[in-house]
Amino acid sequence: MRVLVTGASGRLGREVLPRLRDGGFVVRAVSRHPRENSTVEWLAADLATGAGLAEALDGVEAVLHLASSPSRRTHEVDVLGTRRLLVAADRAGVAHLVYVSIVGVDRVPLGYYRHKLAAEQVVAAGPVPWSVLRATQFPEFLEEMLRGASRLGPVIGDPAVLAQPVDAGEVADRLVAMLAAGPSYAIAEFAGPQVLRFDAAVQAWRDARRSHRPLLPVRIPGRLGRALRSGGLTTTVTPTGTRTWADHLADTYGGTGRR
């Protein structure tokens, strides 16, 4: 099966490409700018304009749609770009499109999440047989957030916010399995094995880095805070991944991520 992967240069794309190759798929990767890669066919295409999509989809049987733009032109790329991709995929006779979304897009009032939810709806209403996987946050994202929250010294955040970080490689494994299984016409969720409070995640991060930065508790107000504290970013769906936040910290810093 020839599979087109959008957003192939991102964190999840880098995990998916070798797994697809090893699974016997013929892989065509796309990003906005051309890249050199001896193991996959790499083309340039732009979801925001539609440039290159017809060429990228020529001869493709399935699409793994990872591309997203959280910080700029989000509606243009995530919503309208997904619609452009579906129209082009339908013309090319694509038999299955798998879209990657985020756990909580239907519960957490963030602008980016509203766009991801709208993109899910575009996929479900579109002409191409589909499956959607909502994943929780990657541990690398959580770590980037902690670094940003500690720029002024203490780690600033709401201690009771809940997260359920999931390893990108395990998400990639699930996506390969979904492609092999064919269209489900359903939204599935996938998460890490452990629900963490923000303060516990901070403590493990500090221990792994041998840092003594204190946690400065700041309660997130309003609907957003209530959604994050009540588990809007988590799921009870099983099975889950197996790699924990402590595993990520041990790989990154050595040790266990705990005292």
Side-chain angles (χ1 to χ4, degrees), residues 3-21 26-37 39-47 53 56 63-69 77 85 98 100 138 168 172 175:
V3 178
L4 177 72
V5 182
T6 73
S9 61
R11 179 173 291 139
L12 184 54
R14 294 191 296 271
E15 296 286 346
V16 163
L17 293 184
R19 286 168 167 82
L20 287 172
R21 254 190 351 260
V26 178
V27 183
R28 179 179 292 166
V30 298
S31 59
R32 288 202 308 124
H33 304 290
R35 295 171 181 264
E36 293 294 330
N37 190 314
T39 60
V40 300
E41 181 185 8
W42 207 290
L43 300 179
D46 190 348
L47 289 172
L53 285 180
V63 174
L64 180 53
H65 184 21
L66 310 180
S68 187
S69 182
V77 172
L85 178 64
V98 177
V100 178
F138 299 145
L175 290 170

Side-chain angles (χ1 to χ4, degrees), residues 37-159:
N37 190 314
S38 61
T39 60
V40 300
E41 181 185 8
W42 207 290
L43 300 179
D46 190 348
L47 289 172
T49 65
L53 285 180
E55 295 82 0
L57 287 158
D58 184 37
V60 165
E61 299 165 79
V63 174
L64 180 53
H65 184 21
L66 310 180
S68 187
S69 182
S71 58
R72 58 188 295 270
R73 298 194 305 168
T74 305
H75 182 72
E76 186 69 22
V77 172
D78 285 69
V79 183
L80 301 183
T82 295
R83 184 174 289 122
R84 292 184 188 97
L85 178 64
L86 285 165
V87 170
D90 183 43
R91 290 174 180 163
V94 169
H96 187 197
L97 182 139
V98 177
Y99 178 62
V100 178
S101 188
I102 306 168
V103 168
V105 291
D106 54 343
R107 300 189 299 270
V108 177
L110 289 170
Y112 175 51
Y113 280 24
R114 285 194 292 270
H115 290 303
K116 294 295 285 185
L117 181 60
E120 287 185 5
Q121 293 163 350
V122 168
V123 169
V128 179
W130 59 277
S131 308
V132 170
L133 181 67
R134 291 177 179 170
T136 52
Q137 305 294 339
F138 299 145
E140 293 86 352
F141 175 83
L142 177 56
E143 184 154 14
E144 288 167 7
M145 187 182 69
L146 292 175
R147 289 183 181 278
S150 60
R151 282 178 301 179
L152 300 178
V155 184
I156 301 170
D158 189 328

Side-chain angles (χ1 to χ4, degrees), residues 228-243:
L228 295 176
R229 287 187 294 273
S230 65
L233 296 177
T234 70
T235 180
T236 59
V237 172
T238 58
T240 66
T242 61
R243 288 185 54 79

